[in-house]
Amino acid sequence: MSTVRRPLKSLGQNFLMDNNVVDKIIRSAALEPGDSVLEIGPGRGALTEHLVRQVGRLLLVEYDHALADSLSCSYGDNQQVTVVDGDILAVDLDALLEGGGRSWKVIANLPYNISTQVLFRLMDVRRRVARMVLMLQKEVADRLVAQPDCSDYGVTTVLLGLWFDMRREFIVPPGCFHPRPKVDSAVVSFVPLAEPRVEVGNEQVFRRVVKGAFAMRRKTLSNCLKKTGLAAPDALAQVLNDCGINGQRRGETLSLDEFAALSRLLSALAV
Ligand code: SAM
């Protein structure tokens, strides 16, 4: 598929130009003939043209109307393919994926300006997903697979780590795209877990604890958690004590298990 229009920076359009990278992404998805696949931002179809030959059902969500039109022209007659001219952050993803059971695979070279938001949307529909293979900015990928007590470790590491096994598959240099992005990219695979990796009590409380703990990286955990409003200062001190966590630590030193322990006790208080 081709288009003469220049790529739109505002839509994060860095099109894949390297067939080896395309092949590696497709291989990482471990596709099977009956698979249902969601491709986010198919663009000019670098991945799409391979997917359409290999899977049972293909759902394409593209925000750029001209590219969505072009995809409809190419694949409109194909009963297996559905083109949605829409914003992945606004469409009712749960409804779109309904009927595929837990069998959806998600493949995308994501627009980098919205990649974290997309990750959280995908986390919300994880029960419908079997595997995701996503191209991200390398910096974002490094954060996802980071260990506690390093600068990359953060909100996305912990929140997504609760629900996914994540693996950085390979790095992709800027020269593989047109136009070239300023930074390296990386492909990450995600396998959703049937149950959270650890019990956290109320998940909304867990999210508030984690976001609160990282909101001010230079402040102590105790001060950060006070700002969340999840518990009065005395109760918070007791919770930290009951969890065996020193409130003078920085949030970034806590493991997922420690965040979960805090969340369980704070959830119980919130009842
Ligand atoms: N998959 C193509 C490739 O690998 O060459 C294009 C990838 S490009 C990095 C990102 C694509 O996402 C573009 O086609 C862009 O128009 C599309 N896009 C940007 N924002 C979007 C959104 N909110 N919802 C759906 N697609 C979006």
Side-chain angles (χ1 to χ4, degrees):
M1 189 181 309
S2 66
T3 177
V4 287
R5 209 202 49 210
R6 281 170 49 198
L8 296 174
K9 201 173 170 192
S10 61
L11 291 183
Q13 290 181 346
N14 298 100
F15 296 110
L16 254 175
M17 306 304 284
D18 187 307
N19 284 330
N20 285 330
V21 174
V22 170
D23 286 346
K24 280 167 85 174
I25 292 174
I26 302 281
R27 275 205 302 278
S28 301
L31 295 174
E32 290 173 31
D35 276 346
S36 299
V37 172
L38 162 67
E39 188 187 356
I40 302 168
R44 295 177 180 172
L47 293 161
T48 322
E49 60 183 277
H50 293 262
L51 294 172
V52 78
R53 290 199 292 268
Q54 295 189 37
V55 305
R57 183 170 167 192
L58 184 57
L59 173 62
L60 308 171
V61 180
E62 173 55 61
Y63 192 45
D64 182 321
H65 305 306
L67 291 177
D69 276 353
S70 176
L71 289 157
S72 294
C73 283
S74 301
Y75 301 116
D77 291 338
N78 187 330
Q79 300 286 311
Q80 295 164 281
V81 181
T82 307
V83 180
V84 176
D85 179 352
D87 177 354
I88 192 66
L89 298 178
V91 294
D92 184 346
L93 205 46
D94 203 46
L96 280 175
L97 302 186
E98 203 175 357
R102 198 198 155 86
S103 64
W104 285 90
K105 290 184 176 164
V106 182
I107 299 183
N109 168 17
L110 286 176
Y112 293 161
N113 47 340
I114 58 164
S115 61
T116 304
Q117 288 162 275
V118 174
L119 287 175
F120 283 113
R121 290 219 81 203
L122 291 170
M123 186 167 81
D124 290 340
V125 295
R126 62 186 174 266
R127 288 191 178 81
R128 299 195 184 280
V129 171
R131 184 175 179 80
M132 316 198 293
V133 177
L134 306 176
M135 175 95 73
L136 300 160
Q137 230 172 293
K138 180 176 168 292
E139 186 189 320
V140 175
D142 287 345
R143 272 189 242 138
L144 291 174
V145 298
Q147 296 300 315
D149 213 2
C150 76
S151 60
D152 287 334
Y153 185 69
V155 172
T156 51
T157 329
V158 182
L159 295 187
L160 285 134
L162 181 67
W163 283 110
F164 292 98
D165 278 336
M166 296 178 281
R167 193 176 118 126
R168 203 181 75 180
E169 298 286 347
F170 54 93
I171 292 174
V172 185
C176 296
F177 303 87
H178 171 75
R180 296 163 65 110
K182 291 201 173 71
V183 292
D184 277 340
S185 304
V187 170
V188 178
S189 61
F190 301 71
V191 178
L193 307 173
E195 300 293 331
R197 197 175 300 280
V198 54
E199 179 54 50
V200 298
N202 179 323
E203 203 173 333
Q204 292 312 317
V205 170
F206 177 68
R207 288 187 189 196
R208 283 171 66 187
V209 170
V210 174
K211 287 182 180 172
F214 286 105
M216 299 175 293
R217 281 191 176 251
R218 288 168 176 275
K219 303 265 186 209
T220 64
L221 177 64
S222 179
N223 278 334
C224 287
L225 292 181
K226 276 182 199 154
K227 297 261 184 215
T228 65
L230 282 165
D234 285 357
L236 188 57
Q238 187 63 50
V239 164
L240 285 163
N241 191 47
D242 291 349
C243 292
I245 298 171
N246 184 339
Q248 296 306 301
R249 287 169 60 184
R250 301 277 184 269
E252 70 202 44
T253 67
L254 267 65
S255 65
L256 173 57
D257 284 337
E258 288 177 312
F259 278 118
L262 281 175
S263 173
R264 284 194 301 271
L265 291 194
L266 288 167
S267 300
L269 283 184
V271 171

